[in-house]
Amino acid sequence: MPHLDFTQPPFDVLSAAERQSIKKNTQVRYLAKDETLPAEDLQYFYVVLKGHVEQLFEGDFVASYLGSNHTAHLNSSDWFDSRRSPKSFIEDSVPKDNSIDLQSAAYQFRAVEDTLLLQVNGATVDKISAQNHLIRQLLSESLPERLKALQLRRSGKGLNALSYDDPQEVQQIMLQPVIDITLLPVHIVDANDSLYQAAKTMTEAGLKHVLVRPKEYLQSSNSSDRTLGILSDHDICRAVSDQQNPASTPCQHYASFNLRTIDADAEIGDALLTMTRYRIHRLPVLDTKGQVIGVLAQSDMLAHIGQHSQLISIQIDQAANLSSLASAVELIGRYIRAQHQNGVKIGNVSRMVRTLNAQVFTKLWQLIVPDEVMENTCVIVMGSEGRGEQIMRTDQDNALIIRDGYEHPKLAQFAATFNQYLADLGYPLCDGHIMMNNPMWRQPLKIFKAQISTWFKNTDPRHSIYLSAILDGEYVCGDETLMLQVREHLKTAHRQSDLMFVRQFARAALQFGDVNQWWQKLVPLLGGKPISYTLDLKKVGIFPLVHGIRTLALENDIFTDPSSKGRLKALVQARALTQERADTLLEALEFFMAQRLSVALLTDDKYAKEVDPTTLSALERDLLKECLAVVKSFKDQLSRHYQLEFG
């Protein structure tokens, strides 16, 4: 009798006793061509040994599962759990006016050809799942849980129960609240206190800083600790070098106010990003009432998480020329590979890479332009870089906003040098010329605003492309208020635009049609010879999700955070999406990003965006099918919401 392959998922994480139990409760099931599994057989877990099974709901295709005769060039046969509820499929893909009883609804499974199945007793699978969290995670109905299982397997921790059970240390630590780190105690002096008093407080407390209470703090009953300043031992040394008398010089003269702070329940990863981005070493930590409860020191945080990104940040900061900057950029590539191999969630990696890339761009601009230009311009990045979703260095998308009335004879030269140097560092020039060396993307603020207003009129097919780029814009360096004014104008221009604009803007998310049936197109091609059939992950997965989320954000006046994660969070707050729906969309997006990164690292081709399904494991194929189904349901949702044709 044919048997299960215990070297393949999901059965490669079973103990010897669990394997024996599975064997005792498994039998062979034959399904003739066009035969459908009867209702009494929808209580088993199946492995397709030979043949082809289609999963249907109300006659509509959902997925395909293939046996070894079709998967000779794949890594393993497919499996499916016939007990899985179609509830999420109904909620995402079936129109609301279609009354379906969720309690009695079930998938249908039909043999496309004569098919041989291994039929595993569902109760046995449930019993093993209850005591083996590895199997439970692999077979979960929750997409995030199965994606987590895939991340663990990629990190090499999913091939046996002992190693699989090791925690995802890096990722878990990055998701911990900052309150889990030992904080420095709070010591506050008044702004009018002398530097001598502050130094004495530091010495007695064994600290290198004190917090400073501004004058207006005492004058207002509504004062928040967010208005506190900070004075360090370095500031006191600066005062002494300025020949100031520490005994009579008030702290306010040398303290820094408008501090970056972080909430106690914020993630450690967010604290690391803030410190890295703004190059600061201490973060006051606030409770829910806005009161400071401690100070997070960079050294304590690094000791806690043991990450290496800060070392790259330091090297970028210390770069004195293009050559030394190139060395730091090379380290970013190694960091990406190491984090991916360690199973760190792709969203955490991409956001840190955005922060490091922003430092590279800032340092390069500083090396090129005089301080005067830095103070009167604002460098921004757009597209996937602006959203924090560009992992590999693909093409540049950047712009330069110039303060109204400011001129410099070499601005065009500076911009061209910036783009060319970035290309030399491995960030290729943009084929669409969305770069600051293009005069259209190097404009005074007033002209920039006028351009945006024109784009909202949508009189040219390229206007939607330009708007998509600027909507994803994120500040890099220079005068940040220029970018803030652009964002504010985006909101104003949108409110003044035609009511049908967003509907037209949404069309792009639907332009590639229905990709959910890609497996149907692939199956007839599988035979005795290896074939090449690839999916463009950007076209079928990443772009529809990103642009659909961008469109919903535009409709709901969400402009603050250009990242898909930030937009989804804001859409939930605006009640435009449920939390569950937002989580599913983000998980699917990050799956496609991770698959694209895997292909790029495997082929050493940073432009790689196509995946060959025949190279995927059964687990990866299963997740790919489900994530493509998420894309389809999201397109259906957009189509209904904006009354657009799709299919």
Side-chain angles (χ1 to χ4, degrees):
M1 175 182 122
H3 58 83
L4 291 169
D5 185 352
F6 290 111
T7 67
Q8 296 292 338
F11 303 110
D12 56 345
V13 295
L14 296 177
S15 66
E18 289 166 343
R19 292 182 183 186
Q20 192 62 32
S21 178
I22 286 283
K23 285 180 181 178
K24 289 181 180 179
N25 291 277
T26 299
Q27 61 183 5
V28 175
R29 175 74 160 83
Y30 172 73
L31 211 58
K33 181 181 179 181
D34 292 327
E35 183 181 354
T36 299
L37 283 175
E40 60 267 23
D41 283 350
L42 298 182
Q43 53 182 315
Y44 296 97
F45 180 90
Y46 292 93
V47 177
V48 186
L49 292 175
K50 184 179 180 181
H52 175 196
V53 174
E54 275 190 346
Q55 181 180 4
L56 307 167
F57 183 76
E58 300 285 309
D60 292 333
F61 173 84
V62 176
S64 281
Y65 303 97
L66 304 176
S68 58
N69 58 317
H70 288 298
T71 59
H73 310 296
L74 306 183
N75 292 345
S76 58
S77 295
D78 289 334
W79 76 76
F80 62 90
D81 192 336
S82 65
R83 303 169 300 163
R84 185 171 290 176
S85 169
K87 178 182 176 184
S88 60
F89 176 82
I90 295 171
E91 291 175 343
D92 293 341
S93 302
V94 178
K96 302 299 181 184
D97 56 357
N98 192 329
S99 56
I100 295 177
D101 184 359
L102 293 178
Q103 299 300 320
S104 61
Y107 287 119
Q108 298 87 46
F109 298 90
R110 181 182 67 87
V112 178
E113 59 189 58
D114 289 351
T115 298
L116 204 60
L117 304 167
L118 276 180
Q119 181 176 280
V120 185
N121 186 283
T124 301
V125 173
D126 289 343
K127 183 177 179 181
I128 293 175
S129 295
Q131 54 196 3
N132 185 330
H133 76 281
L134 311 176
I135 273 285
R136 185 167 65 250
Q137 193 176 54
L138 283 164
L139 303 183
S140 170
E141 290 197 25
S142 165
L143 176 60
E145 282 298 303
R146 298 207 305 285
L147 288 171
K148 191 185 298 180
L150 178 60
Q151 290 164 13
L152 283 169
R153 301 184 75 84
R154 282 176 172 161
S155 67
K157 297 178 181 178
L159 301 182
N160 60 72
L162 290 176
S163 63
Y164 201 111
D165 200 33
D166 291 340
Q168 299 179 76
E169 293 179 348
V170 174
Q171 186 165 319
Q172 287 181 348
I173 290 174
M174 294 288 274
L175 295 175
Q176 290 174 358
V178 295
I179 197 67
D180 283 1
I181 303 176
T182 301
L183 303 178
L184 297 175
V186 177
H187 289 273
I188 303 177
V189 299
D190 290 331
N192 290 330
D193 288 345
S194 69
L195 294 177
Y196 169 77
Q197 289 172 299
K200 184 179 179 182
T201 301
M202 289 184 203
T203 303
E204 292 174 351
L207 298 172
K208 295 184 177 181
H209 73 277
V210 289
L211 298 179
V212 181
R213 189 181 292 112
K215 293 179 180 179
E216 55 270 20
Y217 186 97
L218 299 174
Q219 299 169 357
S220 172
S221 58
N222 297 322
S223 293
S224 163
D225 282 356
R226 295 182 189 275
T227 63
L228 292 175
I230 192 168
L231 182 81
S232 69
D233 54 354
H234 175 74
D235 296 322
I236 294 176
C237 289
R238 187 159 53 88
V240 172
S241 68
D242 289 344
Q243 298 184 336
Q244 299 295 314
N245 183 354
S248 59
T249 303
C251 292
Q252 183 163 336
H253 289 183
Y254 284 88
S256 299
F257 293 92
N258 299 318
L259 298 183
R260 299 281 173 182
T261 61
I262 195 159
D263 294 334
D265 59 356
E267 295 172 2
I268 290 175
D270 292 332
L272 179 61
L273 289 172
T274 300
M275 286 187 175
T276 302
R277 180 172 184 180
Y278 297 105
R279 284 171 282 177
I280 52 181
H281 305 287
R282 302 175 188 88
L283 274 175
V285 179
L286 307 179
D287 62 15
T288 55
K289 297 179 180 179
Q291 301 302 304
V292 63
I293 57 174
V295 177
L296 178 62
Q298 184 185 73
S299 56
D300 292 332
M301 182 180 66
L302 293 179
H304 186 79
I305 64 177
Q307 282 292 315
H308 304 293
S309 55
Q310 188 67 17
L311 301 179
I312 303 174
S313 174
I314 292 171
Q315 185 161 339
I316 294 170
D317 198 43
Q318 294 176 345
N321 50 48
L322 195 63
S323 176
S324 54
L325 193 56
S327 299
V329 170
E330 179 63 27
L331 290 178
I332 297 176
R334 296 180 189 176
Y335 171 82
I336 294 169
R337 184 180 292 272
Q339 296 297 293
H340 188 56
Q341 290 174 344
N342 285 332
V344 177
K345 197 170 183 180
I346 197 72
N348 291 339
V349 179
S350 65
R351 287 187 286 277
M352 177 53 73
V353 169
R354 174 177 67 176
T355 296
L356 293 173
N357 280 341
Q359 277 195 266
V360 170
F361 304 156
T362 299
K363 173 57 70 170
L364 182 59
W365 192 240
Q366 289 172 337
L367 292 173
I368 294 172
V369 306
D371 291 345
E372 170 199 338
V373 172
M374 178 69 77
E375 294 166 1
N376 287 279
T377 61
C378 177
V379 177
I380 65 171
V381 289
M382 299 171 288
S384 56
E385 186 69 60
R387 296 192 308 274
E389 294 159 13
Q390 178 165 287
I391 311 294
M392 306 302 288
R393 299 191 296 274
T394 52
D395 58 348
Q396 300 179 39
D397 287 304
N398 48 61
L400 186 69
I401 309 170
I402 306 164
R403 188 188 305 282
D404 288 333
Y406 176 75
E407 295 181 359
H408 192 289
K410 292 186 177 181
L411 268 184
Q413 180 183 328
F414 292 150
T417 302
F418 178 78
N419 289 139
Q420 186 54 55
Y421 279 3
L422 277 182
D424 295 342
L425 288 171
Y427 301 87
L429 298 172
C430 174
D431 291 338
H433 303 290
I434 301 180
M435 299 177 291
M436 66 169 69
N437 63 4
N438 179 348
M440 188 177 81
W441 295 100
R442 186 184 69 252
Q443 299 278 15
L445 177 62
K446 185 176 181 179
I447 298 178
F448 234 116
K449 289 180 177 180
Q451 278 188 162
I452 289 171
S453 296
T454 300
W455 296 340
F456 270 104
K457 295 177 181 177
N458 206 25
T459 56
D460 187 304
R462 292 170 296 181
H463 288 173
S464 289
I465 297 174
Y466 298 154
L467 265 180
S468 295
I470 197 65
L471 285 169
D472 292 347
E474 180 62 291
Y475 166 79
V476 172
C477 64
D479 184 356
E480 188 174 6
T481 63
L482 295 173
M483 182 60 203
L484 294 177
Q485 290 180 73
V486 165
R487 279 196 182 142
E488 195 59 36
H489 183 72
L490 279 166
K491 186 183 297 186
T492 301
H494 170 234
R495 290 173 177 173
Q496 294 174 346
S497 65
D498 190 291
L499 293 176
M500 298 297 289
F501 174 81
V502 173
R503 181 171 180 266
Q504 298 303 318
F505 191 67
R507 284 187 183 278
L510 311 181
Q511 64 182 330
F512 299 117
D514 183 2
V515 299
N516 197 44
Q517 299 185 25
W518 63 274
W519 193 251
Q520 286 182 307
K521 299 174 184 177
L522 172 62
V523 171
L525 301 176
L526 291 168
K529 298 180 181 180
I531 63 155
S532 177
Y533 182 92
T534 59
L535 282 171
D536 187 323
L537 293 173
K538 183 175 181 180
K539 182 181 292 186
V540 304
I542 295 174
F543 178 78
L545 291 174
V546 166
H547 190 68
I549 293 166
R550 181 194 289 130
T551 303
L552 289 173
L554 178 62
E555 179 189 358
N556 287 274
D557 271 353
I558 296 168
F559 296 93
T560 304
D561 187 342
S563 70
S564 295
K565 181 180 181 180
R567 284 169 171 160
L568 286 170
K569 181 179 180 181
L571 286 167
V572 171
Q573 292 172 343
R575 299 188 177 182
L577 292 175
T578 65
Q579 185 65 60
E580 182 180 6
R581 181 62 160 161
D583 290 344
T584 301
L585 292 175
L586 184 61
E587 291 287 355
L589 174 60
E590 293 190 348
F591 170 81
F592 290 122
M593 290 168 59
Q595 284 298 135
R596 187 177 178 184
L597 177 59
S598 294
V599 174
L601 294 176
L602 187 66
T603 61
D604 284 328
D605 179 8
K606 62 185 178 184
Y607 296 103
K609 56 185 178 181
E610 296 189 342
V611 63
D612 183 350
T614 64
T615 65
L616 302 179
S617 68
L619 175 60
E620 288 174 315
R621 289 199 304 276
D622 183 54
L623 289 170
L624 178 58
K625 293 173 195 174
E626 184 153 351
C627 287
L628 287 172
V630 170
V631 174
K632 180 182 182 299
S633 71
F634 187 46
K635 285 183 170 183
D636 287 337
Q637 178 183 350
L638 294 172
S639 176
R640 293 193 300 270
H641 182 68
Y642 294 112
Q643 298 181 332
L644 297 169
E645 291 185 4
F646 161 58

